[in-house]
Short mmCIF file of all heavy atoms in Angstrom, two decimals:
data_model
loop_
_atom_site.label_atom_id
_atom_site.label_comp_id
_atom_site.label_asym_id
_atom_site.label_seq_id
_atom_site.Cartn_x
_atom_site.Cartn_y
_atom_site.Cartn_z
N ILE J 13 21.21 -54.59 40.64
CA ILE J 13 21.33 -55.11 39.26
C ILE J 13 22.78 -55.56 39.00
O ILE J 13 22.99 -56.60 38.38
CB ILE J 13 20.91 -54.00 38.27
CG1 ILE J 13 19.41 -53.81 38.37
CG2 ILE J 13 21.32 -54.39 36.85
CD1 ILE J 13 18.91 -52.62 37.58
N SER J 14 23.76 -54.84 39.50
CA SER J 14 25.14 -55.24 39.35
C SER J 14 25.44 -56.55 40.05
O SER J 14 26.16 -57.40 39.48
CB SER J 14 26.06 -54.14 39.88
OG SER J 14 25.88 -52.94 39.20
N LEU J 15 24.91 -56.73 41.25
CA LEU J 15 25.11 -57.98 41.98
C LEU J 15 24.48 -59.16 41.25
O LEU J 15 25.07 -60.25 41.13
CB LEU J 15 24.59 -57.87 43.38
CG LEU J 15 25.43 -57.05 44.38
CD1 LEU J 15 24.68 -56.91 45.69
CD2 LEU J 15 26.78 -57.72 44.59
N ILE J 16 23.26 -58.97 40.77
CA ILE J 16 22.57 -60.05 40.06
C ILE J 16 23.33 -60.41 38.78
O ILE J 16 23.54 -61.59 38.46
CB ILE J 16 21.13 -59.64 39.74
CG1 ILE J 16 20.29 -59.57 41.04
CG2 ILE J 16 20.48 -60.62 38.78
CD1 ILE J 16 18.93 -58.97 40.88
N GLY J 17 23.81 -59.39 38.06
CA GLY J 17 24.60 -59.65 36.84
C GLY J 17 25.88 -60.36 37.18
O GLY J 17 26.31 -61.28 36.46
N GLY J 18 26.52 -59.96 38.26
CA GLY J 18 27.78 -60.61 38.68
C GLY J 18 27.57 -62.06 39.05
O GLY J 18 28.38 -62.96 38.69
N PHE J 19 26.49 -62.34 39.78
CA PHE J 19 26.20 -63.74 40.14
C PHE J 19 25.92 -64.57 38.90
O PHE J 19 26.33 -65.71 38.81
CB PHE J 19 24.99 -63.81 41.09
CG PHE J 19 25.31 -63.45 42.52
CD1 PHE J 19 24.52 -62.56 43.23
CD2 PHE J 19 26.39 -64.01 43.16
CE1 PHE J 19 24.82 -62.24 44.52
CE2 PHE J 19 26.69 -63.70 44.47
CZ PHE J 19 25.91 -62.81 45.17
N ALA J 20 25.17 -64.00 37.94
CA ALA J 20 24.86 -64.73 36.71
C ALA J 20 26.12 -65.04 35.93
O ALA J 20 26.29 -66.20 35.43
CB ALA J 20 23.89 -63.91 35.86
N ILE J 21 27.01 -64.08 35.80
CA ILE J 21 28.26 -64.33 35.08
C ILE J 21 29.12 -65.37 35.82
O ILE J 21 29.68 -66.27 35.21
CB ILE J 21 29.03 -63.00 34.89
CG1 ILE J 21 28.27 -62.11 33.94
CG2 ILE J 21 30.44 -63.24 34.38
CD1 ILE J 21 28.80 -60.69 33.87
N GLY J 22 29.20 -65.21 37.13
CA GLY J 22 30.01 -66.15 37.91
C GLY J 22 29.44 -67.55 37.86
O GLY J 22 30.19 -68.54 37.76
N TYR J 23 28.14 -67.66 37.91
CA TYR J 23 27.48 -68.99 37.87
C TYR J 23 27.74 -69.65 36.53
O TYR J 23 28.08 -70.83 36.47
CB TYR J 23 25.99 -68.86 38.10
CG TYR J 23 25.24 -70.14 37.90
CD1 TYR J 23 25.30 -71.17 38.86
CD2 TYR J 23 24.50 -70.37 36.73
CE1 TYR J 23 24.61 -72.37 38.64
CE2 TYR J 23 23.84 -71.55 36.53
CZ TYR J 23 23.89 -72.55 37.48
OH TYR J 23 23.23 -73.72 37.29
N SER J 24 27.61 -68.89 35.45
CA SER J 24 27.78 -69.50 34.14
C SER J 24 29.24 -69.92 33.93
O SER J 24 29.53 -70.98 33.36
CB SER J 24 27.37 -68.55 33.03
OG SER J 24 28.18 -67.40 33.01
N LYS J 25 30.19 -69.14 34.45
CA LYS J 25 31.61 -69.52 34.33
C LYS J 25 31.90 -70.74 35.19
O LYS J 25 32.61 -71.65 34.72
CB LYS J 25 32.49 -68.34 34.73
CG LYS J 25 33.94 -68.53 34.50
CD LYS J 25 34.24 -68.66 33.01
CE LYS J 25 35.75 -68.75 32.79
NZ LYS J 25 36.04 -69.00 31.37
N ALA J 26 31.38 -70.78 36.39
CA ALA J 26 31.60 -71.93 37.28
C ALA J 26 30.97 -73.18 36.66
O ALA J 26 31.55 -74.26 36.73
CB ALA J 26 31.05 -71.67 38.65
N ARG J 27 29.82 -73.04 36.07
CA ARG J 27 29.13 -74.20 35.48
C ARG J 27 29.96 -74.70 34.28
O ARG J 27 30.11 -75.91 34.09
CB ARG J 27 27.75 -73.76 34.98
CG ARG J 27 26.91 -74.88 34.42
CD ARG J 27 25.50 -74.40 34.14
NE ARG J 27 24.72 -75.45 33.57
CZ ARG J 27 24.44 -75.59 32.28
NH1 ARG J 27 24.86 -74.67 31.43
NH2 ARG J 27 23.73 -76.58 31.84
N GLU J 28 30.50 -73.79 33.52
CA GLU J 28 31.32 -74.18 32.38
C GLU J 28 32.57 -74.94 32.82
O GLU J 28 32.92 -75.97 32.26
CB GLU J 28 31.76 -72.91 31.60
CG GLU J 28 32.71 -73.14 30.46
CD GLU J 28 33.17 -71.85 29.81
OE1 GLU J 28 32.44 -70.85 29.88
OE2 GLU J 28 34.26 -71.88 29.23
N LEU J 29 33.24 -74.45 33.86
CA LEU J 29 34.42 -75.12 34.37
C LEU J 29 34.08 -76.50 34.99
O LEU J 29 34.82 -77.45 34.82
CB LEU J 29 35.11 -74.26 35.44
CG LEU J 29 35.79 -72.98 34.91
CD1 LEU J 29 36.30 -72.14 36.09
CD2 LEU J 29 36.88 -73.33 33.94
N CYS J 30 32.96 -76.56 35.65
CA CYS J 30 32.52 -77.83 36.26
C CYS J 30 32.24 -78.90 35.17
O CYS J 30 32.69 -80.03 35.28
CB CYS J 30 31.30 -77.61 37.11
SG CYS J 30 30.72 -79.10 37.96
N LEU J 31 31.52 -78.49 34.16
CA LEU J 31 31.22 -79.42 33.05
C LEU J 31 32.52 -79.85 32.33
O LEU J 31 32.65 -81.01 31.97
CB LEU J 31 30.26 -78.77 32.07
CG LEU J 31 28.82 -78.63 32.53
CD1 LEU J 31 27.99 -77.89 31.52
CD2 LEU J 31 28.20 -79.99 32.82
N GLN J 32 33.42 -78.91 32.16
CA GLN J 32 34.70 -79.24 31.53
C GLN J 32 35.49 -80.25 32.36
O GLN J 32 36.06 -81.18 31.85
CB GLN J 32 35.53 -77.98 31.31
CG GLN J 32 36.83 -78.22 30.60
CD GLN J 32 37.60 -76.92 30.38
OE1 GLN J 32 37.21 -75.87 30.88
NE2 GLN J 32 38.70 -77.02 29.67
N ALA J 33 35.49 -80.07 33.68
CA ALA J 33 36.17 -81.00 34.55
C ALA J 33 35.52 -82.39 34.51
O ALA J 33 36.21 -83.39 34.54
CB ALA J 33 36.17 -80.47 35.98
N ILE J 34 34.22 -82.43 34.48
CA ILE J 34 33.49 -83.70 34.42
C ILE J 34 33.82 -84.42 33.10
O ILE J 34 34.07 -85.64 33.10
CB ILE J 34 31.96 -83.50 34.56
CG1 ILE J 34 31.65 -83.07 35.99
CG2 ILE J 34 31.20 -84.76 34.21
CD1 ILE J 34 30.21 -82.66 36.21
N ILE J 35 33.84 -83.68 32.00
CA ILE J 35 34.13 -84.30 30.70
C ILE J 35 35.59 -84.81 30.69
O ILE J 35 35.85 -85.88 30.22
CB ILE J 35 33.90 -83.26 29.57
CG1 ILE J 35 32.39 -83.01 29.41
CG2 ILE J 35 34.49 -83.76 28.26
CD1 ILE J 35 32.07 -81.84 28.53
#
Side-chain angles (χ1 to χ4, degrees):
I13 290 171
S14 299
L15 285 174
I16 291 171
F19 282 132
I21 292 170
Y23 173 75
S24 64
K25 187 65 175 175
R27 184 173 179 259
E28 176 185 334
L29 290 175
C30 181
L31 288 176
Q32 183 179 6
I34 291 171
I35 290 169

